[in-house]
Amino acid sequence: MIAEQQKERAKRDAQRKAEIAKGEAQKRRIEAQGKADQITIEAKAQAQANKIIANSLTTDLLQLEQIKAQLEFNNALKVNKDAQIFLTPGGAVPNIWVDAKGKEQKAISTQN
């Protein structure tokens, strides 16, 4: 009789632990799906924002931004009068010449 009660108690204990484990697993699945949904929503929003920005870029706007960049370089030249910065047309990487104060000038370029 005591053995039967212990057996029943152990069975109920095992069932209770199994239900708790199932609940925890389901909770974790729901949380993981929620995080995945959040990431997907954020990625779609970022992609949409990128499309809007890309569609808003015009040749005139890009030229304006190039002029602004040239202004920044010109302002940098006011600080360092020994540097010469040249922007190449079409938004390519600028070439920078640094005056070595009496030594021959060396071209520094990231272009090949």
Side-chain angles (χ1 to χ4, degrees):
M1 180 89 148
I2 293 175
E4 281 293 318
Q5 289 175 348
Q6 288 176 342
K7 183 178 172 183
E8 275 301 311
R9 183 181 298 156
K11 184 178 175 182
R12 282 193 309 265
D13 236 14
Q15 288 173 339
R16 184 179 60 79
K17 287 179 182 179
E19 288 300 316
I20 290 172
K22 284 181 188 177
E24 280 296 316
Q26 186 175 10
K27 174 186 170 191
R28 288 188 180 132
R29 267 194 300 278
I30 292 169
E31 287 173 349
Q33 186 61 52
K35 287 179 184 178
D37 291 346
Q38 177 186 0
I39 291 168
T40 301
I41 290 167
E42 289 172 356
K44 285 179 180 178
Q46 185 64 52
Q48 182 65 27
N50 290 345
K51 275 186 182 178
I52 291 169
I53 291 168
N55 290 338
S56 72
L57 295 177
T58 64
T59 303
D60 290 340
L61 181 60
L62 293 174
Q63 287 175 348
L64 175 64
E65 290 301 318
Q66 189 173 6
I67 291 168
K68 287 180 183 178
Q70 182 66 56
L71 177 64
E72 291 288 328
F73 283 121
N74 290 344
N75 289 337
L77 285 175
K78 289 178 186 176
V79 175
N80 183 0
K81 299 199 184 288
D82 294 330
Q84 296 178 11
I85 304 168
F86 299 93
L87 287 178
T88 53
V93 177
N95 292 312
I96 303 170
W97 277 265
V98 178
D99 185 355
K101 296 206 188 251
K103 297 181 181 175
E104 99 183 26
Q105 288 185 340
K106 298 180 182 175
I108 302 170
S109 174
T110 55
Q111 296 174 338
N112 292 333

